[in-house]
Amino acid sequence: MAPSFERSTHTVCVMDASGQLGFSLVQRLLHRGYTVHASVQKQGEEMLNGISADHNKLKIFRSDPFDYHSIIDALRGCSGLFYSFEPPLDQPEYDEHMADVEVRAAHNVLEACAQTETIDKVVFTSSATAVLWREDRKTMDLDLDERHWSDVNFCRKFKLWHGISKTLSEKTAWALAMDRGVNMVSINKGLLMGHDLSIDNPYLRGAAEMYEDGVFVTVDLGFLVDAHICIYEDVSSHGRYLCFNHIINTQNDAVLLARHLTPNASYLPHSVDHDKSFIKQRISNKKLNKLMMDFEA
């Protein structure tokens, strides 16, 4: 991390601050001395009120990712943006139409950043599902990493709607950032192991194949928040970063996750044969681990 980075002089925007990641980012950024513009959709204001003793350090904005001017208002005076997409309340499910929604939101947000002179850096939260869904993933000589992109046609063929949405929205953001000169870094996170994780999480479509291929990665909320802040504060950060701190590649891991997702299921085994259950990891997060080596949380 650059030693001259002075957090107390930075105002940053967190969008959408009503999600689990966004809310946790707001808390951690305030704790580190930042002034925060917390942008929420139609919900979330209540839980944000009162988390800062200094009212001058936290401002709450209602911003619609499809309302360009509301985004501009939230970004005004900010030097950075942490952006993570939250599905609209009237369209919460990932289906064949979600990609268009998420792409429009990403376009509006990056265009607003390009029009905001004070924005120096954008940290764009994407997903590992924008990396790992490829026809050739079983035959590749190298492990999957940030250089790889999911194949949209492959995703469409197998109705991997989360992968399509994340791939197209991230590519849209990158295209606009490069065209408009926006300094953007993306984080391709694994499955977030949060308190609200359920069997209906769209990331889990294709979970059996991810497990068999050695690419079923997860991330804890605290590690994910640290990664976002590290990437924002480190002037050397660039490009994409796969972000995970655990891989599900043993039968025991798979059973523990299944129990978490379906706590009332009676069919799950109580023990597994640990000697025969290991699957080789085929995905790498070395780039992020190297960047975070000296990060002070």
Side-chain angles (χ1 to χ4, degrees), residues 6 9 37 40 52 123 129 139 168 178 220 283:
E6 183 53 58
T9 64
H37 288 189
V40 299
S52 175
V123 180
T129 59
T139 59
L168 291 178
M178 289 187 284
D220 297 327
I283 188 169

Side-chain angles (χ1 to χ4, degrees), residues 213-266:
D213 295 343
V215 297
F216 193 174
V217 291
T218 68
V219 63
D220 297 327
L221 181 59
F223 183 84
L224 181 61
V225 170
D226 285 346
H228 277 74
I229 295 174
C230 174
I231 284 170
Y232 177 73
E233 293 183 355
D234 196 319
V235 295
S236 70
S237 64
H238 64 283
R240 308 170 82 203
Y241 288 86
L242 269 165
C243 181
F244 59 91
N245 60 345
H246 183 67
I247 182 163
I248 297 175
N249 64 344
T250 69
Q251 289 183 18
N252 190 56
D253 288 336
V255 168
L256 289 174
L257 177 62
R259 286 177 182 162
H260 181 85
L261 295 171
T262 55
N264 297 321
S266 59

Side-chain angles (χ1 to χ4, degrees), residues 122-222:
V122 176
V123 180
F124 184 97
T125 308
S126 184
S127 172
T129 59
V131 173
L132 54 85
W133 289 124
R134 302 164 53 92
E135 192 84 56
D136 61 353
R137 69 190 189 283
K138 295 179 182 291
T139 59
M140 291 173 54
D141 293 330
L142 301 175
D143 291 343
L144 285 169
D145 63 19
E146 294 85 1
R147 295 169 293 181
H148 299 106
W149 286 90
S150 289
D151 183 331
V152 172
N153 291 326
F154 179 87
C155 291
R156 187 171 288 113
K157 178 180 177 181
F158 293 100
K159 298 182 178 180
L160 299 164
W161 308 127
H162 191 266
I164 289 178
S165 294
K166 296 303 178 184
T167 302
L168 291 178
S169 61
E170 188 189 347
K171 283 190 171 184
T172 296
W174 275 117
L176 191 54
M178 289 187 284
D179 181 62
R180 304 300 300 276
V182 176
N183 177 22
M184 188 183 101
V185 183
S186 67
I187 296 179
N188 297 82
K189 65 181 178 68
L191 176 66
L192 177 57
M193 299 299 291
H195 61 79
D196 59 351
L197 179 63
S198 74
I199 193 70
D200 298 321
N201 191 298
Y203 188 107
L204 291 167
R205 188 173 183 92
E209 289 77 13
M210 286 189 279
Y211 172 73
E212 293 167 2
D213 295 343
V215 297
F216 193 174
V217 291
T218 68
V219 63
D220 297 327
L221 181 59

Side-chain angles (χ1 to χ4, degrees), residues 143 145-146 242 244 284-291:
D143 291 343
D145 63 19
E146 294 85 1
L242 269 165
F244 59 91
S284 172
N285 60 347
K286 291 180 181 178
K287 182 182 177 185
L288 178 62
N289 288 342
K290 182 178 179 181
L291 188 78

Side-chain angles (χ1 to χ4, degrees), residues 17-37:
S18 62
Q20 191 174 4
L21 170 60
F23 180 75
S24 297
L25 269 170
V26 171
Q27 289 182 305
R28 190 73 63 83
L29 289 164
L30 288 169
H31 181 72
R32 289 174 77 84
Y34 288 88
T35 299
V36 179
H37 288 189

